[in-house]
Amino acid sequence: MEKVISTNKLTKKFGNFIAVDSIEFEVEKGEIFGFLGANGAGKTTAMRMLCGLSRPTSGSGMVAGFDIASQQEDIKKNIGYMSQKFALYDDLKVWENLRLFGGIYGMKKKEIEDKTAQILQELGFEKERNTLAKLLPLGWKQKLAFSVSIFHEPKIVFLDEPTGGVDPVTRRRFWELIYRAVQRGITVFVTTHYMDEAEYCNRVSIMVDGKIEVLDTPKNLKAAFNAANMDDVFQQLARKATRINN
Amino acid sequence: MLKFLLEKEFKQIFRNPFIPKLILAMPIIIMMVLPWAANQEIKNLKISVIDSDHSALSKRLANKITASGYFRLTDFSASFHNAMQSVDAGKSDIIIEIPFDFENSLFKSEIVSVMISANAVNGLKGGLGSAYLSSIINDFADELSAERGNHYQSSIIRSQFRFNPHLNYKAFIIPALFVMLLTLFTGFLPAFNIVAEKESGTTEQMNVTPVNKGIFIISKLIPYWIIGFVILSICMGIAALVYGLKPAGSLAAIYIYAIIYILVVSGLGIVISNYSSTMQQAMFVMFFFMMTVILLSGLFTPISSMPQWAQTITTINPLKYLMEVMRAIYLKGSGMHELLPQLFALCGFALIFNGWAVLSYKKSK
């Protein structure tokens, strides 16, 4: 299988604090890769390095065939990113947010229009086309943010706790969108605190204190830890953390 | 790419509940109020007259002084001592002593001295008061010369106030107010805009896109450029309609200098926002810069009367150059060829600040 992400001793230090400690892993094309860990374990820092938002202190990594230390702008053309908090423009309408980001990724006007119509229809958002983003309920905002992050058909999409703060039904619907993206060949790299979501992933890594403690399929992990579900696996590992959790 | 970014900026500005109103209201309020308030003309100075001559001529001089509008007669004092008491009591600001034999001496074409004593606790008031008074006395001497065909010695000093013949302080302050408004709007707004994007997280969303940071910054500059144009036009309109003040020089030159100046200030605003992570931080740093550049620009006080070291600092103050340009074009009618040093200075600042803005904008840390 083609590797779309690979890292080699990837490390990020802030002063004396080692946020990400020499992590090594690979993600294959078309995979849903769950990137788990307690708060403060270093997930977001690692993800920011993979997205070209942050430079590694040492170690290296490749994303979509480009080096994360020296080819950040090339990486950015090939990925999508959805942050923990809703980071689209509140004072732009739904279609305007789609148009703006489509334009930034160099899509043509016609392409943007067609794709916008298609996405609004898929999401059942046709009536909200002209609604300002700030007026949407949280679950809808998350769907919109996800749609924007894959609007330009990236190779990989990075989702940082995409479903925080919404009900199980809304989360379930969100995951249906993720599956649809995977069917189109987009690789999904997702962090989450919901262990039921971890079960949806093809493979899962769990970070503890800046290191990747385990990496395998949910099924193998449950077997290895003699656990009934992923929540149990996570509890056993996260308890070992010595870093002060906030 | 730029097209999409500009579209976004303009939509955001027009949808902002506050900014469009601010763009209209602030210039109107400042232009209607400040030229009257920020006025250094001295009027209604309280004067004590010591008339030791009690002649027709001395009375005529006293009348001329009080009729000028600048002075209000406190009293006719019997002696300098009495007059000083009025000054001490705060009833008088200035004393004029007309000597005994004033009329006679004048008829004999002798040199006559009139003594002016001004309370200079407020230096500006004292200085301007005695200057006004001297000029009234000179006028008086001229009148007498004309009437009698003599030449009186008192009319030695002649000041001719060119370009602003009536010493109308408004004509001096209005072009400076344009510059101040341009500075406030095109400096603060882009700075706040960028920090607001940082705070809301949209900057990070932009930073994971392949957006070119130069283009991103240009998309932030252009809207404020246009806002600057609108503000300048509103200001010039009010100056013409309300104060009858029209530029003596070319309108095109004013806009050309303004275009470059706006780039300078917006560039500075963006530099500051690049180094600020919160709104408070940006606001404080911006305020510090604004206060410094405004007070060191010659807006209220002439640069030539600042100490040498302060004058040296003003050479790196872009506001100073536009202030000079605006006053020169508005009042003197100077052309661009006379204002080339200022043009080069402003272009230099524009390059430095905008280059710095692009370099200090970091898409990744």
Side-chain angles (χ1 to χ4, degrees):
Chain A
M1 274 300 271
E2 192 189 336
K3 305 271 183 284
V4 289
I5 301 176
S6 62
T7 67
N8 179 23
K9 296 201 170 96
L10 188 62
T11 303
K12 180 79 183 186
K13 291 182 189 167
F14 297 106
N16 287 326
F17 178 74
I18 306 171
V20 175
D21 192 355
S22 169
I23 59 171
E24 295 192 2
F25 67 95
E26 286 173 343
V27 178
E28 286 167 6
K29 189 176 185 320
E31 191 173 30
I32 302 179
F33 188 87
F35 200 58
L36 274 48
N39 288 329
K43 302 184 305 284
T44 299
T45 309
M47 191 183 237
R48 287 173 57 87
M49 283 192 282
L50 298 176
C51 294
L53 283 173
S54 172
R55 285 174 204 283
T57 311
S58 62
S60 62
M62 300 288 280
V63 171
F66 297 101
D67 185 83
I68 60 169
S70 59
Q71 296 173 302
Q72 294 176 321
E73 293 304 300
D74 293 308
I75 290 176
K76 287 171 186 171
K77 286 178 198 149
N78 290 290
I79 61 166
Y81 173 77
M82 177 181 166
S83 82
Q84 277 176 33
K85 62 173 176 178
F86 179 71
L88 297 183
Y89 289 95
D90 264 343
D91 44 4
L92 291 186
K93 294 171 183 169
V94 170
W95 72 270
E96 289 167 344
N97 269 299
L98 289 165
R99 176 179 159 83
L100 171 64
F101 285 95
I104 286 174
Y105 285 99
M107 291 167 68
K108 298 274 166 295
K109 195 171 167 252
K110 181 82 175 70
E111 205 182 341
I112 293 175
E113 279 168 9
D114 294 347
K115 193 99 197 265
T116 301
Q118 181 203 331
I119 281 182
L120 292 179
Q121 197 224 332
E122 274 176 25
L123 295 177
F125 262 25
E126 286 112 323
K127 280 187 189 153
E128 309 301 330
R129 184 185 149 86
N130 288 318
T131 306
L132 292 178
K134 65 178 160 200
L135 300 174
L136 294 173
L138 182 58
W140 292 40
K141 280 185 180 174
Q142 290 171 342
K143 284 186 191 173
L144 176 63
F146 179 69
S147 303
V148 166
S149 71
I150 58 165
F151 194 67
H152 58 291
E153 295 293 325
K155 290 196 177 122
I156 310 159
V157 64
F158 291 87
L159 309 173
D160 194 3
E161 294 178 29
T163 55
V166 295
D167 63 77
V169 179
T170 310
R171 286 203 281 125
R172 179 75 221 182
R173 294 228 175 92
F174 190 89
W175 274 83
E176 283 165 13
L177 292 181
I178 293 182
Y179 279 123
R180 239 182 268 170
V182 170
Q183 278 162 15
R184 295 213 302 267
I186 298 175
T187 307
V188 176
F189 185 97
V190 58
T191 76
T192 180
H193 285 303
Y194 297 108
M195 290 307 131
D196 57 327
E197 292 184 353
E199 311 263 5
Y200 303 149
C201 299
N202 299 115
R203 284 194 306 148
V204 162
S205 74
I206 298 180
M207 270 183 99
V208 179
D209 290 350
K211 295 191 176 77
I212 291 185
E213 205 66 25
V214 294
L215 196 171
D216 212 331
T217 61
K219 195 178 153 201
N220 289 350
L221 284 176
K222 281 183 281 191
F225 284 81
N226 195 18
N229 51 34
M230 281 303 293
D231 191 53
D232 201 8
V233 176
F234 187 82
Q235 297 279 355
Q236 291 185 37
L237 280 166
R239 227 170 266 146
K240 297 200 300 191
T242 52
R243 267 187 205 167
I244 301 156
N245 285 351
N246 44 8
Chain B
M1 198 184 280
L2 184 59
K3 185 185 88 177
F4 292 98
L5 288 168
L6 279 177
E7 213 178 274
K8 153 195 172 275
E9 293 297 333
F10 279 109
K11 280 178 181 161
Q12 287 183 305
I13 288 170
F14 284 112
R15 278 179 200 163
N16 188 300
F18 184 59
I19 289 178
K21 289 178 200 151
L22 192 73
I23 292 169
L24 286 179
M26 215 162 115
I28 293 175
I29 294 170
I30 287 198
M31 288 299 296
M32 298 302 276
V33 175
L34 286 195
W36 302 95
N39 192 332
Q40 293 184 352
E41 261 181 323
I42 303 289
K43 283 194 171 159
N44 299 323
L45 278 164
K46 293 169 278 183
I47 189 167
S48 287
V49 176
I50 309 163
D51 185 357
S52 309
D53 195 38
H54 296 289
S55 63
L57 263 188
S58 70
K59 288 208 174 64
R60 192 169 140 192
L61 177 59
N63 278 338
K64 189 170 166 62
I65 291 167
T66 49
S68 68
Y70 290 106
F71 298 97
R72 223 173 51 216
L73 183 68
T74 305
D75 52 14
F76 280 103
S77 300
S79 67
F80 189 73
H81 179 74
N82 286 355
M84 275 311 283
Q85 281 178 336
S86 299
V87 173
D88 288 342
K91 285 185 228 154
S92 266
D93 301 309
I94 199 162
I95 305 170
I96 179 166
E97 188 172 8
I98 304 170
F100 177 70
D101 243 12
F102 178 72
E103 194 176 55
N104 273 336
S105 307
L106 280 177
F107 284 148
K108 284 184 253 158
S109 295
E110 285 170 2
I111 296 171
V112 181
S113 305
V114 174
M115 186 173 76
I116 300 169
S117 318
N119 174 5
V121 169
N122 178 340
L124 186 72
K125 206 166 156 186
L128 276 178
S130 47
Y132 289 163
L133 202 48
S134 320
S135 104
I136 291 171
I137 295 165
N138 279 339
D139 251 16
F140 181 72
D142 278 357
E143 275 175 33
L144 293 186
S145 306
E147 282 166 25
R148 291 152 211 244
N150 293 348
H151 185 72
Y152 287 99
Q153 286 290 319
S154 68
S155 55
I156 297 167
I157 311 161
R158 282 284 77 164
S159 309
Q160 192 190 5
F161 298 108
R162 302 195 51 192
F163 311 124
N164 181 7
H166 308 295
L167 278 187
N168 181 351
Y169 196 73
K170 288 189 199 86
F172 177 72
I173 203 86
I174 285 171
L177 287 177
F178 298 173
V179 181
M180 203 179 79
L181 275 165
L182 277 184
T183 311
L184 287 179
F185 270 94
T186 60
F188 274 101
L189 288 183
F192 290 170
N193 175 301
I194 288 183
V195 180
E197 283 216 23
K198 271 190 194 177
E199 287 188 336
S200 71
T202 49
T203 300
E204 189 173 86
Q205 191 69 50
M206 277 289 165
N207 288 347
V208 284
T209 70
V211 67
N212 176 296
K213 60 183 186 173
I215 291 179
F216 183 70
I217 285 182
I218 290 172
S219 80
K220 294 285 179 195
L221 288 175
I222 292 177
Y224 297 101
W225 220 32
I226 292 171
I227 289 175
F229 257 61
V230 172
I231 288 167
L232 183 62
S233 307
I234 294 177
C235 286
M236 295 207 293
I238 295 177
L241 290 175
V242 179
Y243 303 101
L245 188 66
K246 291 184 186 123
S250 105
L251 210 56
I254 291 180
Y255 278 106
I256 289 173
Y257 278 92
I259 287 173
I260 303 167
Y261 180 71
I262 295 169
L263 278 181
V264 174
V265 189
S266 314
L268 174 68
I270 293 176
V271 169
I272 288 170
S273 67
N274 283 348
Y275 290 101
S276 310
S277 40
T278 64
M279 204 58 115
Q280 282 103 319
Q281 204 182 336
M283 194 117 84
F284 259 85
V285 177
M286 212 50 209
F287 203 78
F288 165 76
F289 274 100
M290 288 295 158
M291 234 165 70
T292 314
V293 296
I294 287 175
L295 289 180
L296 278 176
S297 69
L299 171 60
F300 298 113
T301 47
I303 288 176
S304 54
S305 57
M306 293 175 190
Q308 193 53 50
W309 58 265
Q311 292 193 29
T312 312
I313 297 176
T314 64
T315 55
I316 52 163
N317 182 0
L319 187 55
K320 169 198 135 153
Y321 296 98
L322 189 68
M323 201 75 87
E324 285 172 0
V325 166
M326 278 289 186
R327 281 182 177 149
I329 298 179
Y330 240 88
L331 304 177
K332 286 201 288 190
S334 304
M336 282 186 70
H337 56 281
E338 292 157 289
L339 297 166
L340 283 179
Q342 284 86 348
L343 184 69
F344 293 139
L346 288 175
C347 286
F349 283 118
L351 281 177
I352 292 170
F353 285 135
N354 290 293
W356 189 1
V358 174
L359 289 178
S360 60
Y361 185 87
K362 296 265 187 284
K363 282 184 77 183
S364 51
K365 291 188 180 73

